[in-house]
Amino acid sequence: FGNPLLYNGDIQTTWEEAEREGFETYSADGLAVKRTMNVLGRDWTMWCRAKPQFYRDGNQLMPWIVGGGGVMASVLGAILTFTLVHSRRRAVEISGRMTKSLQEAEAESRRLALVASRTATGVILMDTEWKVEWVNDSFTRLFGYSFAEVKGRRPGELLFGPKTRPDIREAIDEACAKNRSFEGEVVQYTKSGNEIWVELEVQLLLDEKGEPTGYMGLHSDVTARKRAELEVKEKENQLQFVFDQIPVGITWVFYDEK
């Protein structure tokens, strides 16, 4: 048979009270758990309930806990909503400024590209390893190479030849190493192998932090002028030779019209 075992909060047996009022009625007064267990071959029934003070204290604190939790949740929700709205507004503003700056930069790039493509000077852009990244139409007209033919190649492989000054590469490297532009007149070669005189300017390109990003080469055709200068020089040499060979003295006389 079962042996009843029941204690209240004061460690006093209340089996008679529970038996008299019944489980359901007594549970409303605080009986929460009923357990039957076997101990050393005997069945024991245990009823457990909380002290009335627990329910009194719980009933008094519960409204404050619920109310306080609701207030805190509302405050946190308001803060979170404000933060999200403010962050979205700032994100939209930043995005607008970036979009405007990007559009202005693209417009400026298009204008520069248009100027570079229409100028009579052959323009070539190279990376930090001197490999071609872009050329304008004037470069193609001057040398006969299309952009597809020179892309990724070094200009010296295509434009330099037997009569190109041998120290041209060293002179350009030295000037760029000192953050100066190289300027000089050199002989270069077209795709068809023709020699042309070019006024060459090479500039080192730097970013906003002062780091090298590549090089720009400007090629102006001065072949006609150089040929005229050579012809004049040649005639001067011929005339000087004639004067040196004449067996009579020759004197230059200048008259002042005044």
Side-chain angles (χ1 to χ4, degrees), residues 102-167:
L102 181 59
Q103 292 174 346
E104 293 175 351
E106 290 178 348
E108 182 67 16
S109 297
R110 286 193 295 268
R111 287 193 292 268
L112 294 176
L114 179 62
V115 172
S117 62
R118 299 293 179 84
T119 183
T121 301
V123 181
I124 180 171
L125 298 179
M126 298 155 283
D127 61 16
T128 55
E129 296 182 355
W130 296 96
K131 294 182 179 180
V132 177
E133 293 184 328
W134 181 84
V135 297
N136 67 347
D137 294 338
S138 296
F139 178 90
T140 300
R141 290 192 295 267
L142 181 60
F143 293 102
Y145 291 104
S146 66
F147 173 58
E149 292 174 309
V150 300
K151 182 179 180 181
R153 302 184 65 179
R154 293 182 172 88
E157 301 173 357
L158 305 171
L159 308 181
F160 295 170
K163 293 187 179 180
T164 304
R165 52 182 284 191
D167 65 335

Side-chain angles (χ1 to χ4, degrees), residues 69-215:
V71 172
M72 291 185 63
S74 300
V75 172
L76 291 176
I79 294 174
L80 179 60
T81 302
F82 173 79
T83 303
L84 292 176
V85 172
H86 185 67
S87 299
R88 183 180 182 278
R89 185 183 299 113
R90 290 197 57 186
V92 171
E93 293 176 355
I94 294 174
S95 176
R97 289 196 297 267
M98 292 179 63
T99 301
K100 183 178 179 181
S101 299
L102 181 59
Q103 292 174 346
E104 293 175 351
E106 290 178 348
E108 182 67 16
S109 297
R110 286 193 295 268
R111 287 193 292 268
L112 294 176
L114 179 62
V115 172
S117 62
R118 299 293 179 84
T119 183
T121 301
V123 181
I124 180 171
L125 298 179
M126 298 155 283
D127 61 16
T128 55
E129 296 182 355
W130 296 96
K131 294 182 179 180
V132 177
E133 293 184 328
W134 181 84
V135 297
N136 67 347
D137 294 338
S138 296
F139 178 90
T140 300
R141 290 192 295 267
L142 181 60
F143 293 102
Y145 291 104
S146 66
F147 173 58
E149 292 174 309
V150 300
K151 182 179 180 181
R153 302 184 65 179
R154 293 182 172 88
E157 301 173 357
L158 305 171
L159 308 181
F160 295 170
K163 293 187 179 180
T164 304
R165 52 182 284 191
D167 65 335
I168 183 65
R169 290 184 175 88
E170 290 78 7
I172 294 175
D173 290 340
E174 181 180 356
C176 292
K178 296 178 180 179
N179 198 16
R180 294 187 290 104
S181 62
F182 169 84
E183 298 180 6
E185 295 179 351
V186 298
V187 174
Q188 293 185 334
Y189 292 80
T190 65
K191 181 179 179 180
S192 59
N194 296 328
E195 297 178 7
I196 59 174
W197 277 93
V198 174
E199 184 175 346
L200 176 63
E201 180 179 352
V202 179
Q203 300 178 3
L204 174 65
L205 303 179
L206 304 174
D207 61 12
E208 56 188 13
K209 297 180 180 179
E211 297 294 331
T213 60
Y215 303 91

Side-chain angles (χ1 to χ4, degrees), residues 22-96:
F23 177 82
E24 296 297 333
T25 303
Y26 199 75
S27 63
D29 189 37
L31 187 62
V33 179
K34 176 182 178 182
R35 291 288 185 268
T36 301
M37 64 186 68
N38 186 284
V39 179
L40 299 177
R42 300 181 64 182
D43 293 331
W44 296 79
T45 299
M46 181 174 66
W47 292 342
C48 301
R49 69 179 179 89
K51 296 176 65 175
Q53 183 180 357
F54 171 81
Y55 293 97
R56 290 197 302 270
D57 294 341
N59 292 333
Q60 293 176 358
L61 294 177
M62 188 58 64
W64 291 98
I65 294 175
V66 174
V71 172
M72 291 185 63
S74 300
V75 172
L76 291 176
I79 294 174
L80 179 60
T81 302
F82 173 79
T83 303
L84 292 176
V85 172
H86 185 67
S87 299
R88 183 180 182 278
R89 185 183 299 113
R90 290 197 57 186
V92 171
E93 293 176 355
I94 294 174
S95 176

